[in-house]
């Protein structure tokens, strides 16, 4: 499915809106590390994100160890960043 990529201006505006997120070196993804009180809190966050992901049909790449969740957002169907990544990053900010 062809999903439009964000323009450079849209990408820059997103990064300005979400200062905790950074652009991956290749410019095709945004990344953020979340830290929680313990594993249980990290898992609760991941559960909320998982429910969102299924509804949105858009899924994060992530790595969890104990209280840390490293997240990468990119849209495989766009081969880069799309509005779906922006929406998911905003949703994640609402889950912390
Ligand atoms: N998640 N991050 C991400 N990127 C996608 O392109 C994507 C997805 N979840 C489901 C999905 N695409 C579906 O549209 C199918 O392509 C599997």
């Amino acid at each position: 499915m062809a999903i439009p990529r964000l323009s450079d201006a849209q990408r820059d505006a997103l990064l300005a809106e979400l200062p905790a997120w950074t652009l991956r070196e290749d410019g095709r993804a945004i990344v953020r590390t979340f830290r929680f009180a313990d594993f249980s809190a990290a898992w609760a966050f991941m559960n909320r994100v998982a429910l969102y992901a299924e509804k949105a049909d858009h899924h994060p790449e992530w790595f969890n160890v104990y209280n840390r969740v490293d997240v990468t957002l990119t849209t495989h169907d766009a081969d880069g960043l799309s509005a779906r990544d922006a929406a998911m990053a905003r949703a994640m900010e609402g889950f912390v």
Side-chain angles (χ1 to χ4, degrees):
M1 188 210 302
I3 298 176
R5 267 205 302 269
L6 295 184
S7 68
D8 289 357
Q10 287 171 323
R11 179 202 61 205
D12 292 347
L14 180 66
L15 289 165
E17 175 194 334
L18 301 171
W21 293 79
T22 56
L23 194 63
R24 198 172 66 186
E25 222 168 71
D26 65 4
R28 293 178 187 273
I30 51 173
V31 300
R32 179 182 170 179
T33 293
F34 291 88
R35 284 195 170 76
F36 299 90
D38 52 24
F39 176 74
S40 189
W43 192 252
F45 168 77
M46 293 174 80
N47 261 319
R48 296 185 76 183
V49 174
L51 293 174
Y52 173 96
E54 280 298 275
K55 257 194 197 163
D57 192 27
H58 193 62
H59 300 84
E61 298 173 20
W62 54 15
F63 172 82
N64 162 240
V65 58
Y66 184 50
N67 68 336
R68 195 180 102 216
V69 184
D70 298 331
V71 176
T72 298
L73 298 182
T74 187
T75 300
H76 307 111
D77 295 337
D79 200 22
L81 284 169
S82 77
R84 294 185 182 194
D85 301 304
M88 178 166 269
R90 290 188 192 105
M92 285 185 174
E93 293 302 320
F95 294 155
V96 293

